Each structure stands twice: as structure tokens, then as C-alpha cells.
Amino acid sequence: MKEGNRKVDEQAREVISNIMLFDVSDPRLEMVTVTGCKVSYDRAYCDVYVTCEPDRYEEVLAALEAAKGHIRSLMAKKLDWRQAPELRFHLDETVDAAEKLGKYLNAEKERQATYEDTVGEGEEY
């Protein structure tokens, strides 16, 4: 990936995050985090990755779809790009996957500790 494109992606993520935080008043979008953006080379499209609580996925996607035009127009005013990209919102489920993996690791750690307690110290298993 080119360094210039990474800067464009980060710039889009920062602007969209600020818009959602300060300029969009939809209560369904509270506690929604923009985890990343991927802007196409020609800047026609911007894939926006968001995360929230798993039980709110459909609600958040519906709210983002409804606010897409407003976010795009505010984005156009804040960026000096020739055109504002069409926004496409996606759920970033990597945070959920990492949380699930963390729970599994903690459970395994507890299982190992319980096993060592039952075997006792000094004994081989």
C-alpha cells in the first residue's frame, strides 16, 4: 500500500469520526466507533468500518444509512478533495473476535490453574 493512500484513509477516518461525534445527533449512533476507512484510489468510494455492541448491529447500520448523505456533505466541506466519496458502511467484527478470543484465553488460564491446584505442587502430570 502506498504511504499517500494510508494518509488519505486516516484523514477520512478522523473527519468521519469527528462528524459522527459532534455533528450527527442520532441517538442510535452513540457509542459507535469508526475503526478504519479505506478510500479508493480515485477517491470515489470510502469504505467505513465501525464497531458497536453486537446487539445493536442492525440498528446502527440503519442509522448510518440514514445519515450517510449528511455525513458525506459535511465531509466535503471539511476536506479539500475534489469530490466527496460515496460512503459505504461496514461492521468491523475484529473487535468482537478479539474479545471472544480473550475470553477463551482467560478460561483456559483458569482451567490450567484449577488443574495445577488439583494435581498439587511437586507432583508430575
Side-chain angles (χ1 to χ4, degrees):
M1 178 188 308
K2 292 184 178 179
E3 182 64 30
N5 222 24
R6 190 175 302 146
K7 288 179 182 178
V8 167
D9 294 345
E10 182 57 29
Q11 186 180 21
R13 187 200 63 77
E14 188 174 312
V15 167
I16 292 170
S17 293
N18 283 333
I19 289 170
M20 288 178 57
L21 186 62
F22 298 113
D23 299 322
V24 177
S25 60
D26 191 332
R28 298 176 294 176
L29 295 178
E30 290 178 4
M31 300 302 292
V32 173
T33 303
V34 178
T35 58
C37 287
K38 180 69 181 136
V39 180
S40 65
Y41 183 73
D42 62 356
R43 297 186 185 178
Y45 296 96
C46 178
D47 291 310
V48 182
Y49 297 92
V50 297
T51 187
C52 63
E53 297 87 18
D55 59 324
R56 296 181 48 219
Y57 284 160
E58 282 86 29
E59 174 187 25
V60 167
L61 285 177
L64 288 169
E65 196 62 34
K68 184 189 312 193
H70 181 60
I71 295 170
R72 184 179 182 197
S73 67
L74 290 173
M75 185 179 180
K77 292 175 185 174
K78 294 180 184 217
L79 293 172
D80 59 350
W81 297 354
R82 197 177 69 221
Q83 68 179 20
E86 180 181 328
L87 301 176
R88 301 183 294 200
F89 292 97
H90 308 280
L91 291 173
D92 185 356
E93 297 178 3
T94 56
V95 175
D96 297 333
E99 190 174 301
K100 193 180 288 187
L101 181 61
K103 287 179 184 177
Y104 289 137
L105 291 174
N106 285 336
E108 179 61 20
K109 185 177 179 181
E110 289 176 19
R111 189 188 71 77
Q112 287 289 334
T114 303
Y115 180 75
E116 289 172 4
D117 288 343
T118 57
V119 171
E121 290 188 27
E123 294 181 30
E124 293 190 31
Y125 46 103

